[in-house]
Amino acid sequence: VGVISMPDRVTADGIAELTPAERTAFRSNVVDRLVVLADDTRAIADRAEALAAEAGDPWFDEMADGARVDQHRAEYAAAIYAALLEHAETGSDGGYLATADATLTQAQAVVSRRHAALHDPDAARLLDRGSNPTIYQYGYLHWADELCFWHKERIEAAHVIEGSTETVPGCAY
C-alpha cells in the first residue's frame, strides 16, 4: 500500500555496493549514531548495575543485564558495519572484526548470566525448541539465548571481508 514503516537494512553485501558518498552518509547516519547509543546505554547500564548491587534483588539484576546487553548490541552492530565500511574503502577490516568478536564475548557472558537466573521454574519452555501452546513452536528466547542474529551478522561480514563460506544460520525454526 506504499506505507514504509522503516527503511530496509543495508546488508553486508550491500555496503560494498554503496558509493563513497553513500558510505560517508551511512557512517554518519548509522555507525556514528550506534556509537552514541552504545555510550548512552553504557551510562544507563552502569547506573542500573549500581542500583542492582544496592538492592540485592534479582529483578534489578535482570534490568541491569538488559541494559548491558543493549549496550553491547549497539557496539557490536557499529563494529560490524565499521568493518564492512573499512573493507569497502581499504580492503582491510581495520581491526573492527576483532572488536566485534570481543563484544560478542561480553554479550555472551551477560546472556549466560541471565540463562543461569531465569525466573521461570520451567526454563526449558523459554529456551527449548519443540511443541508448546503458542504459535511459536520453540521457546521464545531460543534465538536470543544463542545470540543467533549476532552470529549471523558476523558470518555475513566474514563472507564479504574474509571470503568465508561458512553457512549463515537461519535463526528461525
Side-chain angles (χ1 to χ4, degrees):
V1 296
V3 175
I4 299 172
S5 63
M6 61 190 299
D8 290 335
R9 176 183 267 189
V10 176
T11 64
D13 290 333
I15 295 286
E17 297 170 6
L18 298 176
T19 67
E22 290 170 329
R23 285 194 304 269
T24 298
F26 186 82
R27 186 179 305 279
S28 65
N29 292 329
V30 177
V31 178
D32 293 349
R33 289 180 179 186
L34 284 168
V35 171
V36 170
L37 175 62
D39 290 344
D40 291 349
T41 309
R42 179 182 301 105
I44 293 167
D46 289 347
R47 181 67 180 129
E49 285 178 356
L51 290 171
E54 288 174 26
D57 184 318
W59 294 102
F60 279 72
D61 294 338
E62 184 171 4
M63 289 188 299
D65 283 341
R68 187 63 71 199
V69 83
D70 287 347
Q71 169 206 326
H72 293 322
R73 183 65 177 135
E75 292 168 338
Y76 184 78
I80 292 289
Y81 279 136
L84 290 162
L85 288 168
E86 187 72 22
H87 183 264
E89 294 166 357
T90 70
S92 163
D93 72 83
Y96 290 109
L97 286 182
T99 299
D101 292 342
T103 303
L104 179 59
T105 298
Q106 293 172 322
Q108 186 59 62
V110 176
V111 171
S112 295
R113 189 167 52 242
R114 290 286 18 104
H115 185 94
L118 293 172
H119 300 290
D120 193 319
D122 181 14
R125 71 174 146 193
L126 301 176
L127 304 170
D128 292 347
R129 294 163 65 156
S131 182
N132 67 58
T134 72
I135 62 170
Y136 303 105
Q137 293 307 301
Y138 54 87
Y140 83 99
L141 292 177
H142 178 77
W143 297 118
D145 187 56
E146 294 191 1
L147 294 174
C148 186
F149 289 101
W150 301 49
H151 292 286
K152 177 180 186 279
E153 292 162 359
R154 176 60 172 88
I155 292 168
E156 289 169 343
H159 282 193
V160 172
I161 296 168
E162 302 168 339
S164 170
T165 58
E166 183 177 356
T167 301
V168 177
C171 303
Y173 189 70

